[in-house]
Amino acid sequence: MIKEKVHILSVTAIKGMNDILPSDVATWQFLEQSAREVFSLYGFSEIRTPIAEKTELFCRSIGETTDIVEKEMYTFNDKSDNSLTLRPEGTAPVMRAFIQNRLYNLDPVSKLYYMGPMFRYERPQKGRYRQFHQLGAEVVGVEDAKIDAQVLAMLHQYFIRIGIDSVSLQVNSLGCPECRPGYRQALIDYLESRLDNLCEECQRRYQTNPLRVLDCKAKGCQAATVDAPSVLEHLCSPCSDHFGQVKDYLEILNIPFEVNSRMVRGLDYYVRTTFELVTDQLGSQNAVAAGGRYDGLVESLGGPSLPGIGFAIGLERLVLMKGEQRITAATPQLFIAALGKEAADRAFVLMSQLRVAGVQAEMDYLGKSLKAQMRRANKLNAAFTLILGEEELNSGQAQLKDMSDSSQSTVTLDSLAEMLIKKLGKMSTSS
Ligand code: ATP
Ligand code: MG
């Protein structure tokens, strides 16, 4: 252990941007690996896009009057004076890549997933950061409600796979360019008569983006909109039929859900089905995943007229929810405690051979006493230890100690790898 001394770091990380430390990484890898497994069952392939895009991409797709574009983007000019933005979300970049690389020529149904950092200039707090990570999936090419239900089934299966069951699925339909304007106007008319009760921000935006008022966290705005007209009562019949089918398919698949007609999404490109997975475990950061349909987006970005649907999961919020159930990292299968230079050299070769043979082995490099080495083996949670001294080098045999029950067995150093693999195999089949 390094002697305690106060070190003052002169350069620290950017506010709201966190290090993910080794003690947390196993949880992250578990969440990511589980996504790869579940998403590939549903036929999704991973896509990776750059972290920065031309600013215009986000303004055109997410919408000029949304929170993200109005105040949350990390936008800067590069040395050639191009305006670039660190991606605040994944759908627009994935659709840009989809169109640019003509992925629609490969298959009439494209199923893509992504994971990685996103950037939003927000007020950092628990569950809300300036660099955060999303795991998202998109399906382009199908309007059929079966796809909406399948995307939700995949999300449901993912949460079962990662062992988080304290979330509930809320669904809504936001209509389409045919019926939304009528609803929008009805909402503006309703809000107009209650302007005095709205917060300053909503008073400013109720005409440009009235749906956001329904989503406002201010108490006054929530109270003022209790009796606001419901979007579901303004759906045109194709949208109403589509939403009915989504609900029917969810029931057929046994996916529990609630309809929340007040749920609007903070991005303009959404139409028809929208959804959120919410929890009561994270205070006001209650959404762990969100998504919906974006049937006009691909065309509006210059691609073919193809419908799409997708979601994004916030990984930091999942890590917070995993809390105490955190996954632990792999620990050494063998720790070799060596006494003296000759034994340390032999241990070094043995350890290297074991690693090549696929056994996670560790040793001491600091010339510590046997007691200190055993303490470290314990701390590292090694499954087995092997003590190597002069006697063991001469006889070519040593005691292999099983740390779970302290039982010992004699092994020949030349066949150590073989023996260990056998024992470890037995351990993993019996546990
Ligand atoms: P919120 O209402 O919490 O601001 P949002 O509607 O802005 O969420 P989306 O853009 O739909 O979120 O992103 C999908 C998911 O990404 C959210 O449900 C959340 O889990 C996560 N997320 C969004 N913003 C952040 C952030 N700043 N920090 C951490 N996670 C975030
Ligand atoms: Mg937000």
Side-chain angles (χ1 to χ4, degrees), residues 202-241:
C202 286
Q203 289 187 2
R204 181 182 60 79
R205 69 183 171 187
Y206 85 97
Q207 277 192 324
T208 51
N209 203 339
L211 272 67
R212 290 301 279 165
V213 181
L214 295 179
D215 204 26
C216 182
K217 305 253 171 7
K219 285 219 165 62
C221 298
Q222 289 188 357
T225 54
V226 169
D227 300 319
S230 158
V231 64
L232 295 177
E233 280 154 22
H234 286 80
L235 296 182
C236 58
S237 71
C239 285
S240 177
D241 290 348

Side-chain angles (χ1 to χ4, degrees), residues 121-135:
Y121 194 80
E122 302 202 65
R123 192 167 69 76
Q125 52 196 292
K126 185 180 167 198
R128 192 176 293 286
Y129 310 100
R130 290 180 175 174
Q131 176 178 321
F132 62 100
H133 295 75
Q134 283 185 340
L135 180 61

Side-chain angles (χ1 to χ4, degrees), residues 92-109:
V94 169
M95 291 310 120
R96 197 265 314 132
F98 172 84
I99 298 165
Q100 191 172 346
N101 297 286
R102 298 192 175 83
L103 298 187
Y104 44 84
N105 284 336
L106 303 179
D107 195 318
V109 188

Side-chain angles (χ1 to χ4, degrees), residues 72-227:
E72 297 175 357
M73 296 211 299
Y74 274 92
T75 298
F76 57 95
N77 283 9
D78 70 6
K79 291 195 196 299
S80 314
D81 249 1
N82 302 308
S83 178
L84 308 184
T85 294
L86 298 183
R87 60 182 187 194
E89 57 101 45
T91 302
V94 169
M95 291 310 120
R96 197 265 314 132
F98 172 84
I99 298 165
Q100 191 172 346
N101 297 286
R102 298 192 175 83
L103 298 187
Y104 44 84
N105 284 336
L106 303 179
D107 195 318
V109 188
S110 303
K111 299 181 189 174
L112 304 165
Y113 76 88
Y114 60 86
M115 48 180 92
M118 304 294 159
F119 303 84
R120 294 184 196 175
Y121 194 80
E122 302 202 65
R123 192 167 69 76
Q125 52 196 292
K126 185 180 167 198
R128 192 176 293 286
Y129 310 100
R130 290 180 175 174
Q131 176 178 321
F132 62 100
H133 295 75
Q134 283 185 340
L135 180 61
E138 318 284 354
V139 183
V140 193
V142 194
E143 198 180 355
D144 194 296
K146 284 191 206 65
I147 282 292
D148 305 48
Q150 261 178 54
V151 162
L152 289 167
M154 180 167 92
L155 196 56
H156 182 72
Q157 187 166 343
Y158 176 66
F159 275 77
I160 293 176
R161 170 79 179 77
I162 61 172
I164 293 182
D165 53 13
S166 49
V167 286
S168 58
L169 171 63
Q170 301 196 337
V171 297
N172 193 18
S173 175
L174 292 183
C176 67
E178 286 296 311
C179 52
R180 179 114 51 101
Y183 174 63
R184 216 175 153 271
Q185 195 53 53
L187 192 56
I188 292 176
D189 294 345
Y190 173 90
L191 294 171
E192 209 129 59
S193 61
R194 291 163 179 81
L195 273 190
D196 290 347
N197 303 320
L198 303 185
C199 73
E200 240 172 72
E201 189 169 13
C202 286
Q203 289 187 2
R204 181 182 60 79
R205 69 183 171 187
Y206 85 97
Q207 277 192 324
T208 51
N209 203 339
L211 272 67
R212 290 301 279 165
V213 181
L214 295 179
D215 204 26
C216 182
K217 305 253 171 7
K219 285 219 165 62
C221 298
Q222 289 188 357
T225 54
V226 169
D227 300 319

Side-chain angles (χ1 to χ4, degrees), residues 270-299:
Y270 285 120
V271 295
R272 292 195 167 174
T273 317
T274 49
F275 51 89
E276 278 187 3
L277 270 187
V278 295
T279 175
D280 52 16
Q281 291 184 3
L282 295 175
S284 56
Q285 275 54 260
N286 66 346
V288 288
R293 269 205 170 269
Y294 45 82
D295 292 348
L297 178 62
V298 176
E299 191 175 16

